[in-house]
Amino acid sequence: PLLCSFDRYFNDKYDLLKHTVNTKITNLIDESDSSEDELVNVVDYLCTHKTVMRNLATSNANSSLYPTMVNILADIMLNRYEAGIDDRLVKSIGTFDNPETTAYMLSSSIVGAFYWWRNQDYATSKQTIIKHANMFIDWLTAKGKAK
């Protein structure tokens, strides 16, 4: 019976993962008071749930989950862009001629940084991660506008 219910709502385990990640990220962003808080909420969540994150991020970027996470994150950004949702990442990809390409490049950067952070056992402080992520988003937005 459980399998029948699962198959009715999800195509496969990656579809379930996409739905779960999308719901969590959307909730974290929507609960934010400002665009800066969006990033803080996501990083706080990652820090609070390190055990779960370790299971998602295997020891290297060669696992099949790595490209899946890139695709999931890019899809989330593009769906939010197409829906006209006003957050910093959506604004940054919207400043480029091809938001789809930019979303995939940005999601690859985010997932790559997450794997790096996890593989070095979160040795870099949360504050440093947030600071550099904010600088990167600001840089990306400025470069897109300068096109």
Side-chain angles (χ1 to χ4, degrees):
L2 181 60
L3 183 58
C4 293
S5 295
F6 179 87
D7 287 345
R8 188 167 55 187
Y9 296 105
F10 305 103
N11 296 327
D12 55 26
K13 63 185 178 184
Y14 297 110
D15 191 33
L16 171 62
L17 180 62
K18 179 180 179 178
H19 176 76
T20 303
V21 170
N22 187 5
T23 300
K24 190 62 198 172
I25 288 175
T26 299
N27 288 342
L28 290 169
I29 290 171
D30 291 346
E31 292 168 358
S32 304
D33 293 330
S34 68
S35 61
E36 286 76 25
D37 286 346
E38 294 169 357
L39 184 59
V40 171
N41 284 353
V42 171
V43 173
D44 279 344
Y45 182 83
L46 293 174
C47 285
T48 302
H49 298 89
K50 288 178 183 176
T51 304
V52 174
M53 296 301 117
R54 280 188 179 95
N55 291 328
L56 282 177
T58 56
S59 62
N60 62 54
N62 296 324
S63 76
S64 64
L65 192 55
Y66 186 86
T68 300
M69 291 304 294
V70 169
N71 288 333
I72 288 171
L73 191 55
D75 284 348
I76 290 169
M77 284 188 270
L78 289 168
N79 288 336
R80 292 177 69 80
Y81 173 77
E82 290 167 5
I85 301 202
D86 188 28
D87 66 45
R88 288 177 71 206
L89 288 179
V90 168
K91 284 181 183 177
S92 69
I93 66 171
T95 61
F96 287 83
D97 293 336
N98 188 327
E100 184 175 10
T101 301
T102 308
Y104 275 90
M105 290 178 156
L106 182 54
S107 69
S108 297
S109 298
I110 292 168
V111 172
F114 167 71
Y115 271 71
W116 166 81
W117 194 32
R118 181 261 177 245
N119 286 339
Q120 57 121 14
D121 200 29
Y122 305 95
T124 301
S125 73
K126 177 175 67 171
Q127 293 77 15
T128 299
I129 295 294
I130 291 168
K131 175 185 168 189
H132 286 240
N134 277 319
M135 291 170 59
F136 180 71
I137 293 168
D138 291 344
W139 174 82
L140 183 66
T141 303
K143 289 297 181 185
K145 288 179 181 176
K147 61 183 177 187

